[in-house]
Amino acid sequence: MKIVIRPHDVGFGTPDWLGKTTHEWGFDGVQLAIPKSVEGQSGEPGTLTPENISYIRKGFNDNGVEIPILGAYFNPVHSDKEKVRAGAAKYADHLRHAAEFGAQFVASETGSYNDDKWTYNPRNQTEEAFKEVLSVFAPMPAIAKEHGVKMVIEGAWGHCMYKPEQLKRLIDELDNGSVNVIIDILNYLYIGNYEERAKIFETALKLFKGKIAAFHMKDFVVKGDTLEMAPLGQGIMGWKDFLPIIKQEVPDACLVFEEVRNVPESLRFVREIVG
């Protein structure tokens, strides 16, 4: 299995430095959000020229690092509709150019009516939210299919696709064979349901069979009424149980480190299980 990391969790710099450092850290690839990690690059429409794409890709690939996933996250229900328009345009442009990076997938989440905070709002769990997200993403599968890549959508309890079942409904509405998902179990958890994490994991595996592009790797502990990040294998998520199942059921999925604590120790923990 490919184990990758978000390069903005590595640092901010040139593609060559990012690629070299990512390789030295022991990762196979990256989930690349261009403006968050690559200096001098915004990733905005019109900037993904052949020259810029080659510059970015070469910096990673020459250091033995792949770019299987691009991140072009935006909030499709933001109250500022110009931000929605701009975000959707950027996402679509990433779909058009993803293959030139060697990427198979372009990722986003489903947003929140709390705008830039991306946190829980009761409106997120309404039919209004579902329809608004659907309308914004509706043009994207055709663009993905035309360019031979896949869009990937990630749910979260605080966002509009707040449980796997709701995300599955969205995927079913959108899918033309070019829509996949990222599963981030911690995203679906809060203090009221974290003890159901194994059930949520099993549900997501079942619902999205054949459409799972990646898993975001996070672990956590409970402190008071909050869930706090922990090094992988040192929290209570249950990765010792989950990872063998993932390896067996979804061997082609990327394992993406996101805001992971103690990266070297966490990476050793994962590799001891999946190889």
Side-chain angles (χ1 to χ4, degrees):
M1 303 186 74
K2 291 186 178 68
I3 305 178
V4 310
I5 192 170
R6 304 184 312 176
H8 53 286
D9 290 331
V10 173
F12 186 81
T14 66
D16 182 70
W17 178 85
L18 288 165
K20 181 180 179 182
T21 306
T22 299
H23 177 75
E24 289 174 349
W25 283 21
F27 290 93
D28 305 308
V30 293
Q31 177 178 324
L32 175 63
I34 294 168
K36 292 184 177 182
S37 56
V38 183
E39 64 181 21
Q41 298 289 327
S42 70
E44 295 296 331
T47 68
L48 300 184
T49 62
E51 294 77 16
N52 281 343
I53 292 171
S54 176
Y55 165 67
I56 295 169
R57 181 176 182 176
K58 190 172 186 296
F60 286 97
N61 289 178
D62 284 0
N63 286 287
V65 175
E66 300 178 24
I67 309 173
I69 307 171
L70 295 179
Y73 289 62
F74 72 103
N75 186 350
V77 298
H78 200 289
S79 61
D80 184 340
K81 298 312 173 188
E82 175 56 29
K83 285 189 175 183
V84 175
R85 185 208 63 77
K90 183 175 181 178
Y91 186 86
D93 198 54
H94 275 58
L95 288 171
R96 296 184 185 100
H97 294 286
E100 298 166 48
F101 286 91
Q104 297 174 273
F105 309 104
V106 180
S108 183
E109 291 175 319
T110 61
S112 166
Y113 285 102
N114 284 346
D115 289 348
D116 298 327
K117 294 181 180 180
W118 291 72
T119 50
Y120 170 78
N121 183 307
R123 285 180 67 194
N124 296 345
Q125 299 188 8
T126 63
E127 187 66 13
E128 171 197 12
F130 180 86
K131 289 181 177 177
E132 190 166 357
V133 173
L134 176 62
S135 68
V136 172
F137 280 111
M140 305 303 178
I143 298 170
K145 188 171 185 177
E146 178 184 356
H147 293 277
V149 297
K150 295 182 186 292
M151 58 180 294
V152 290
I153 305 178
E154 182 182 345
W157 179 79
H159 298 172
C160 293
M161 300 306 116
Y162 56 94
K163 59 182 179 178
E165 293 86 351
Q166 191 76 340
L167 180 59
K168 176 65 161 57
R169 182 185 170 201
L170 180 71
I171 298 301
D172 288 347
E173 291 274 2
L174 290 171
D175 195 21
N176 64 349
S178 299
V179 186
N180 281 14
V181 301
I182 291 176
I183 295 176
D184 186 327
I185 299 301
L186 186 55
N187 267 13
Y188 288 116
L189 304 182
Y190 68 105
I191 195 65
N193 75 346
Y194 73 89
E195 293 181 346
E196 301 172 27
R197 57 196 178 277
K199 180 180 178 181
I200 293 170
F201 171 72
E202 292 166 5
T203 298
L205 281 182
K206 181 179 179 181
L207 289 177
F208 301 119
K209 185 175 182 179
K211 295 187 177 296
I212 302 171
F215 292 83
H216 277 173
M217 304 297 297
K218 298 176 184 174
D219 213 332
F220 73 99
V221 295
V222 179
K223 290 196 175 180
D225 60 356
T226 62
L227 310 183
E228 293 192 3
M229 297 281 284
L232 297 176
Q234 295 184 31
I236 64 171
M237 178 66 81
W239 287 115
K240 285 184 179 179
D241 297 321
F242 294 171
L243 280 169
I245 297 171
I246 292 171
K247 183 177 180 180
Q248 178 178 339
E249 299 292 331
V250 203
D252 294 330
C254 292
L255 305 178
V256 183
F257 277 41
E258 179 179 351
E259 297 183 85
V260 169
R261 303 294 189 267
N262 195 337
V263 170
E265 188 173 346
S266 294
L267 184 57
R268 284 194 297 272
F269 165 78
V270 174
R271 288 212 180 273
E272 285 175 0
I273 297 174
V274 303

